[in-house]
PDB file of all heavy atoms in Angstrom:
ATOM      1  N   PRO Z 291     147.243 148.243 163.478  1.00 98.00           N
ATOM      2  CA  PRO Z 291     147.955 148.254 162.188  1.00 98.00           C
ATOM      3  C   PRO Z 291     147.116 148.872 161.069  1.00 98.00           C
ATOM      4  O   PRO Z 291     145.957 148.527 160.897  1.00 98.00           O
ATOM      5  CB  PRO Z 291     148.210 146.755 161.936  1.00 98.00           C
ATOM      6  CG  PRO Z 291     148.128 146.089 163.273  1.00 98.00           C
ATOM      7  CD  PRO Z 291     147.116 146.886 164.045  1.00 98.00           C
ATOM      8  N   ILE Z 292     147.747 149.763 160.326  1.00 98.00           N
ATOM      9  CA  ILE Z 292     147.081 150.397 159.181  1.00 98.00           C
ATOM     10  C   ILE Z 292     148.144 150.876 158.210  1.00 98.00           C
ATOM     11  O   ILE Z 292     149.165 151.452 158.625  1.00 98.00           O
ATOM     12  CB  ILE Z 292     146.164 151.558 159.633  1.00 98.00           C
ATOM     13  CG1 ILE Z 292     145.388 152.139 158.434  1.00 98.00           C
ATOM     14  CG2 ILE Z 292     146.947 152.632 160.353  1.00 98.00           C
ATOM     15  CD1 ILE Z 292     144.315 153.174 158.837  1.00 98.00           C
ATOM     16  N   THR Z 293     147.928 150.638 156.920  1.00 97.00           N
ATOM     17  CA  THR Z 293     148.840 151.129 155.895  1.00 97.00           C
ATOM     18  C   THR Z 293     148.646 152.639 155.734  1.00 97.00           C
ATOM     19  O   THR Z 293     147.506 153.114 155.722  1.00 97.00           O
ATOM     20  CB  THR Z 293     148.515 150.426 154.551  1.00 97.00           C
ATOM     21  OG1 THR Z 293     148.647 149.028 154.732  1.00 97.00           O
ATOM     22  CG2 THR Z 293     149.450 150.899 153.450  1.00 97.00           C
ATOM     23  N   PRO Z 294     149.735 153.418 155.641  1.00 98.00           N
ATOM     24  CA  PRO Z 294     151.158 153.049 155.587  1.00 98.00           C
ATOM     25  C   PRO Z 294     151.914 153.299 156.890  1.00 98.00           C
ATOM     26  O   PRO Z 294     153.102 153.594 156.848  1.00 98.00           O
ATOM     27  CB  PRO Z 294     151.670 153.956 154.476  1.00 98.00           C
ATOM     28  CG  PRO Z 294     150.835 155.200 154.600  1.00 98.00           C
ATOM     29  CD  PRO Z 294     149.498 154.787 155.163  1.00 98.00           C
ATOM     30  N   ALA Z 295     151.237 153.172 158.039  1.00 98.00           N
ATOM     31  CA  ALA Z 295     151.867 153.506 159.327  1.00 98.00           C
ATOM     32  C   ALA Z 295     152.392 152.287 160.082  1.00 98.00           C
ATOM     33  O   ALA Z 295     153.101 152.447 161.079  1.00 98.00           O
ATOM     34  CB  ALA Z 295     150.884 154.261 160.201  1.00 98.00           C
ATOM     35  N   SER Z 296     152.054 151.100 159.633  1.00 98.00           N
ATOM     36  CA  SER Z 296     152.340 149.895 160.451  1.00 98.00           C
ATOM     37  C   SER Z 296     153.808 149.677 160.723  1.00 98.00           C
ATOM     38  O   SER Z 296     154.190 149.114 161.779  1.00 98.00           O
ATOM     39  CB  SER Z 296     151.762 148.653 159.754  1.00 98.00           C
ATOM     40  OG  SER Z 296     150.359 148.760 159.636  1.00 98.00           O
ATOM     41  N   ASP Z 297     154.689 150.121 159.815  1.00 98.00           N
ATOM     42  CA  ASP Z 297     156.121 149.891 160.017  1.00 98.00           C
ATOM     43  C   ASP Z 297     156.644 150.613 161.261  1.00 98.00           C
ATOM     44  O   ASP Z 297     157.674 150.213 161.817  1.00 98.00           O
ATOM     45  CB  ASP Z 297     156.907 150.355 158.799  1.00 98.00           C
ATOM     46  CG  ASP Z 297     156.779 149.380 157.624  1.00 98.00           C
ATOM     47  OD1 ASP Z 297     156.366 148.232 157.869  1.00 98.00           O
ATOM     48  OD2 ASP Z 297     157.097 149.765 156.498  1.00 98.00           O
ATOM     49  N   ILE Z 298     155.980 151.682 161.693  1.00 98.00           N
ATOM     50  CA  ILE Z 298     156.409 152.352 162.931  1.00 98.00           C
ATOM     51  C   ILE Z 298     156.183 151.429 164.108  1.00 98.00           C
ATOM     52  O   ILE Z 298     157.043 151.322 165.001  1.00 98.00           O
ATOM     53  CB  ILE Z 298     155.640 153.675 163.117  1.00 98.00           C
ATOM     54  CG1 ILE Z 298     155.863 154.592 161.900  1.00 98.00           C
ATOM     55  CG2 ILE Z 298     156.081 154.384 164.392  1.00 98.00           C
ATOM     56  CD1 ILE Z 298     155.004 155.841 161.914  1.00 98.00           C
ATOM     57  N   LEU Z 299     155.044 150.750 164.159  1.00 98.00           N
ATOM     58  CA  LEU Z 299     154.785 149.752 165.191  1.00 98.00           C
ATOM     59  C   LEU Z 299     155.830 148.653 165.159  1.00 98.00           C
ATOM     60  O   LEU Z 299     156.377 148.252 166.184  1.00 98.00           O
ATOM     61  CB  LEU Z 299     153.381 149.176 165.001  1.00 98.00           C
ATOM     62  CG  LEU Z 299     152.982 147.952 165.824  1.00 98.00           C
ATOM     63  CD1 LEU Z 299     153.029 148.253 167.320  1.00 98.00           C
ATOM     64  CD2 LEU Z 299     151.589 147.460 165.417  1.00 98.00           C
ATOM     65  N   HIS Z 300     156.139 148.171 163.951  1.00 98.00           N
ATOM     66  CA  HIS Z 300     157.137 147.092 163.822  1.00 98.00           C
ATOM     67  C   HIS Z 300     158.501 147.546 164.329  1.00 98.00           C
ATOM     68  O   HIS Z 300     159.175 146.805 165.058  1.00 98.00           O
ATOM     69  CB  HIS Z 300     157.246 146.660 162.360  1.00 98.00           C
ATOM     70  CG  HIS Z 300     155.966 146.194 161.761  1.00 98.00           C
ATOM     71  ND1 HIS Z 300     155.736 146.201 160.381  1.00 98.00           N
ATOM     72  CD2 HIS Z 300     154.822 145.739 162.321  1.00 98.00           C
ATOM     73  CE1 HIS Z 300     154.509 145.749 160.164  1.00 98.00           C
ATOM     74  NE2 HIS Z 300     153.946 145.488 161.313  1.00 98.00           N
ATOM     75  N   GLU Z 301     158.902 148.766 163.955  1.00 98.00           N
ATOM     76  CA  GLU Z 301     160.214 149.258 164.347  1.00 98.00           C
ATOM     77  C   GLU Z 301     160.289 149.501 165.844  1.00 98.00           C
ATOM     78  O   GLU Z 301     161.269 149.108 166.510  1.00 98.00           O
ATOM     79  CB  GLU Z 301     160.549 150.541 163.581  1.00 98.00           C
ATOM     80  CG  GLU Z 301     161.914 151.124 163.876  1.00 98.00           C
ATOM     81  CD  GLU Z 301     163.072 150.231 163.431  1.00 98.00           C
ATOM     82  OE1 GLU Z 301     162.911 149.513 162.423  1.00 98.00           O
ATOM     83  OE2 GLU Z 301     164.154 150.297 164.079  1.00 98.00           O
ATOM     84  N   LEU Z 302     159.284 150.124 166.413  1.00 98.00           N
ATOM     85  CA  LEU Z 302     159.317 150.402 167.846  1.00 98.00           C
ATOM     86  C   LEU Z 302     159.314 149.131 168.673  1.00 98.00           C
ATOM     87  O   LEU Z 302     159.884 149.094 169.773  1.00 98.00           O
ATOM     88  CB  LEU Z 302     158.135 151.303 168.236  1.00 98.00           C
ATOM     89  CG  LEU Z 302     158.262 152.770 167.882  1.00 98.00           C
ATOM     90  CD1 LEU Z 302     156.979 153.517 168.212  1.00 98.00           C
ATOM     91  CD2 LEU Z 302     159.445 153.408 168.595  1.00 98.00           C
ATOM     92  N   SER Z 303     158.698 148.077 168.172  1.00 98.00           N
ATOM     93  CA  SER Z 303     158.639 146.834 168.934  1.00 98.00           C
ATOM     94  C   SER Z 303     160.018 146.193 169.105  1.00 98.00           C
ATOM     95  O   SER Z 303     160.210 145.317 169.937  1.00 98.00           O
ATOM     96  CB  SER Z 303     157.699 145.829 168.252  1.00 98.00           C
ATOM     97  OG  SER Z 303     158.235 145.395 167.020  1.00 98.00           O
ATOM     98  N   ARG Z 304     160.999 146.654 168.324  1.00 98.00           N
ATOM     99  CA  ARG Z 304     162.366 146.130 168.409  1.00 98.00           C
ATOM    100  C   ARG Z 304     163.183 146.813 169.502  1.00 98.00           C
ATOM    101  O   ARG Z 304     164.352 146.458 169.717  1.00 98.00           O
ATOM    102  CB  ARG Z 304     163.074 146.287 167.066  1.00 98.00           C
ATOM    103  CG  ARG Z 304     162.423 145.563 165.903  1.00 98.00           C
ATOM    104  CD  ARG Z 304     163.287 145.672 164.654  1.00 98.00           C
ATOM    105  NE  ARG Z 304     162.711 144.932 163.540  1.00 98.00           N
ATOM    106  CZ  ARG Z 304     162.064 145.481 162.531  1.00 98.00           C
ATOM    107  NH1 ARG Z 304     161.944 146.791 162.485  1.00 98.00           N
ATOM    108  NH2 ARG Z 304     161.570 144.746 161.563  1.00 98.00           N
TER     109      ARG Z 304
END
Side-chain angles (χ1 to χ4, degrees):
I292 184 172
T293 302
S296 298
D297 285 344
I298 303 172
L299 170 61
H300 302 158
E301 182 65 31
L302 283 175
S303 68
R304 300 186 177 104

